């Protein structure tokens, strides 16, 4: 939890996306339907319309401030509400000022335009209320506690982890670094823009097993294999995210704005249960960079990965299936 040397609101801003449209190369606009954004997922998918050559996107935004923002004894004046889009991959930040819907209303709305050439994948949309406090303008009064994800490529508005799965012969790959892992069935690369899983086609039978749609023992083994791969993926992306944090001057780690931030917010409640994710991030960062505690935390990280991979469900499915097969063979 951050400490501010002035009074603020304790409750966050509620942010909603209300419309999305694309500007095409010929200057026309294509208003997207509600399938382009999800209030539940708090995500926007700009690829839903199938346009690959759009120039810019205009996002309609509505923000509701918490009670007390206009209290007569409020410690701030000159209240303004800003919507901010941040892209951690391209270091582009776009902001727009929202307008109060009606006098005395806590609802503010407006639009934000983003340009396709400024973004490679996902960006984070947030809102801030700022004002003059103790004669200092532009101080943050409150902000969103969960940002929206704006995906410039995806055709489905989901904020979960996106993976790129590629097949490659590790022993003969043009990617020389893969050759050192010729005996591994798969690897996870967390240095790419999107986490990438490489499946080694040199491993006998792995492609046929992963691509099979059959039933019986084969399907059970396939589900168990996928669960193991998913566990490895979640473990790898967590370590990749926690190992590449920006740190504020005071030493506090900052949540990333891309897939790494999504991974951390998803897994931290299981890694450090019972505390807010901001505090959980600080504790994990202290253990990783401190003298002790990082090794002990690996069990919690693995547990969080196992839960995300539904490994327990897969193992149970295999065990029940094998027991049923054994009973049938004995009868």
């Amino acid at each position: 939890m951050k400490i501010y040397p002035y009074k603020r609101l304790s409750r966050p801003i509620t942010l909603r996306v209300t419309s999305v449209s694309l500007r095409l190369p010929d200057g026309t606009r294509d208003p997207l339907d509600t399938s382009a954004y999800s209030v539940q997922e708090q995500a926007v998918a700009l690829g839903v319309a199938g346009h690959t050559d759009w120039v810019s996107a205009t996002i309609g935004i509505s923000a509701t401030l918490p009670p007390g923002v206009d209290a007569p004894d409020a410690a701030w004046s000159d209240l303004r509400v800003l919507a901010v889009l941040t892209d951690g991959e391209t270091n582009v930040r776009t902001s727009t000022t929202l307008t109060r819907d009606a006098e005395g209303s806590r609802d503010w709305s407006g639009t934000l335009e983003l340009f396709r050439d400024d973004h490679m994948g996902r960006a984070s949309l947030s809102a801030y209320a700022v004002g003059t406090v103790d004669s200092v303008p532009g101080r943050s009064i409150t902000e969103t506690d969960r940002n929206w994800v704006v995906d410039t490529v995806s055709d489905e508005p989901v904020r979960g982890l996106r993976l790129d799965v590629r097949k490659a012969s590790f022993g003969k790959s043009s990617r020389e670094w893969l050759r050192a892992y010729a005996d591994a069935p798969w690897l996870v690369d967390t240095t790419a823009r999107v986490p990438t899983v490489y499946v080694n086609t040199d491993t006998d039978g792995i492609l046929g097993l992963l691509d099979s749609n059959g039933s019986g023992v084969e399907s059970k083994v396939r589900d168990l294999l996928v669960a193991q791969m998913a566990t490895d993926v979640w473990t790898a992306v967590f370590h990749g995210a926690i190992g590449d944090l920006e740190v504020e001057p005071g030493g506090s780690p900052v949540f990333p704005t891309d897939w790494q931030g999504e991974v951390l917010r998803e897994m931290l409640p299981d890694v450090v249960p019972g505390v807010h994710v901001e505090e959980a991030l600080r504790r994990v960062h202290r253990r990783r960079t401190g003298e002790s505690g990082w090794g002990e935390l690996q069990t919690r990280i693995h547990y969080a990965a196992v839960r995300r991979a539904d490994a327990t469900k897969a193992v149970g499915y295999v065990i029940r299936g094998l027991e049923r097969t054994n009973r049938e063979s004995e009868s």
Side-chain angles (χ1 to χ4, degrees), residues 188-196 233 235-241 259-260:
V188 183
D189 178 15
T190 62
T191 64
R193 181 177 62 84
V194 174
T196 302
V233 168
T235 303
V237 295
F238 182 87
H239 281 282
W259 66 262
Q260 295 175 327

Side-chain angles (χ1 to χ4, degrees), residues 14-290:
T14 300
L15 181 64
R16 295 174 299 279
V17 167
T18 58
S19 65
V20 180
S21 66
L22 299 179
R23 183 162 64 88
L24 305 180
D26 60 4
T28 61
R29 285 200 173 272
D30 181 9
L32 306 186
D33 60 29
T34 55
S35 65
Y37 55 94
S38 168
V39 175
Q40 181 178 1
E41 292 282 338
Q42 291 190 263
V44 178
L46 297 180
V48 69
H51 298 296
T52 59
D53 58 349
W54 57 273
V55 177
S56 66
T58 300
I59 301 176
I61 298 166
S62 176
T64 301
L65 273 57
V69 68
D70 291 318
D73 57 348
W76 48 84
S77 59
D78 305 322
L79 183 67
R80 298 172 63 207
V81 179
L82 305 175
V84 181
L85 185 74
T86 305
D87 192 322
E89 296 182 61
T90 59
N91 290 323
V92 171
R93 177 171 293 191
T94 305
S95 64
T96 187
T97 301
L98 304 184
T99 303
R100 193 191 294 261
D101 290 355
E103 185 176 353
S105 173
R106 291 190 287 113
D107 295 324
W108 298 61
S109 60
T111 60
L112 183 144
E113 185 174 22
L114 64 96
F115 291 88
R116 181 69 183 89
D117 290 344
D118 290 339
H119 303 278
M120 297 176 61
R122 289 186 159 196
S124 177
L125 179 63
S126 55
Y128 297 84
V130 300
T132 300
V133 184
D134 298 331
S135 301
V136 179
R139 281 186 158 175
S140 176
I141 306 304
T142 185
E143 58 278 320
T144 45
D145 62 349
R146 188 174 188 237
N147 300 340
W148 278 65
V149 171
V150 178
D151 195 316
T152 59
V153 179
S154 177
D155 59 2
E156 185 178 1
V158 295
R159 64 186 298 123
L161 178 63
R162 292 188 304 125
L163 297 174
D164 186 6
V165 179
R166 300 186 182 183
K167 303 170 185 177
S169 168
F170 286 15
K172 304 174 184 177
S173 176
S174 59
R175 300 177 178 86
E176 293 187 7
W177 65 272
L178 278 177
R179 299 175 189 172
Y181 308 101
D183 57 347
W186 60 78
L187 285 176
V188 183
D189 178 15
T190 62
T191 64
R193 181 177 62 84
V194 174
T196 302
V197 181
Y198 289 95
V199 178
N200 189 359
T201 58
D202 298 333
T203 303
D204 288 340
I206 191 170
L207 290 184
L209 184 60
L210 291 175
D211 294 339
S212 68
N213 294 315
S215 57
V217 175
E218 187 178 71
S219 70
K220 299 173 181 60
V221 175
R222 181 192 64 232
D223 291 345
L224 192 60
L225 180 64
V226 170
Q228 180 59 56
M229 290 180 64
T231 300
D232 290 350
V233 168
W234 279 105
T235 303
V237 295
F238 182 87
H239 281 282
I242 205 70
D244 194 28
L245 293 175
E246 292 186 10
V247 180
E248 293 179 331
S252 295
V254 179
F255 265 104
T257 58
D258 53 10
W259 66 262
Q260 295 175 327
E262 292 301 314
V263 166
L264 293 175
R265 291 184 186 277
E266 176 74 17
M267 294 182 68
L268 281 171
D270 282 327
V271 177
V272 186
V275 300
H276 191 274
V277 289
E278 300 281 353
E279 175 59 23
L281 182 65
R282 284 192 288 271
R283 293 187 186 184
V284 172
H285 178 68
R286 284 198 299 267
R287 290 199 183 192
R288 192 186 70 83
T289 58

